[in-house]
Amino acid sequence: MIAGVSPGDHQRGTLVIATAHAAATKGSVAKLGFATGQVVQEFGYDEDVDDDFRLAIEGLCGSELEEEDYGDVADAVVLWWREDDGDLVDALVDGLTNLAEGGFIVLLTPKAGRVGHVDASDIQEATLTAGLHSSGSTNAAGEWNGSRLVAPKSDRR
């Protein structure tokens, strides 16, 4: 029994679970660096993405996620990536195309044991090859791990 839920009150129990999941998702979104006013471009959208995670980003940033063909500057990129999606280096480089200076990519991959899981060593190799490094990771959403990737800071003269 869920605390505070009467036996047989399945709708209320579902609401409690959904509310807890939504709160955890919002925390993950903020932890990854999304903020109010950011423009976020999304790559790799498919039927398996976590809609609560997407809605939490939109809610925090205050606008819908931009599609892959977006042609303006983005403050952040969300990249949903699965093992069989092709070349991760190419996808990361595509994500950098419209990314503003100081922007970041959130790479979302299925958790270990899930269909489409990507080995951590493959992610690390692709990240380095694309000229990026990890600046944090989280249990982003139900079936997905998230890694925040950034370009190394350049020397200022």
Side-chain angles (χ1 to χ4, degrees), residues 105 124 127-128 130-136 147-153:
I105 295 175
Q124 182 178 14
T127 299
L128 293 173
L132 300 167
H133 71 271
S134 178
S135 69
S147 298
R148 186 175 192 269
L149 308 175
V150 297
K153 294 184 179 177

Side-chain angles (χ1 to χ4, degrees), residues 128-144:
L128 293 173
T129 302
L132 300 167
H133 71 271
S134 178
S135 69
S137 62
T138 188
N139 175 4
E143 301 290 317
W144 298 86

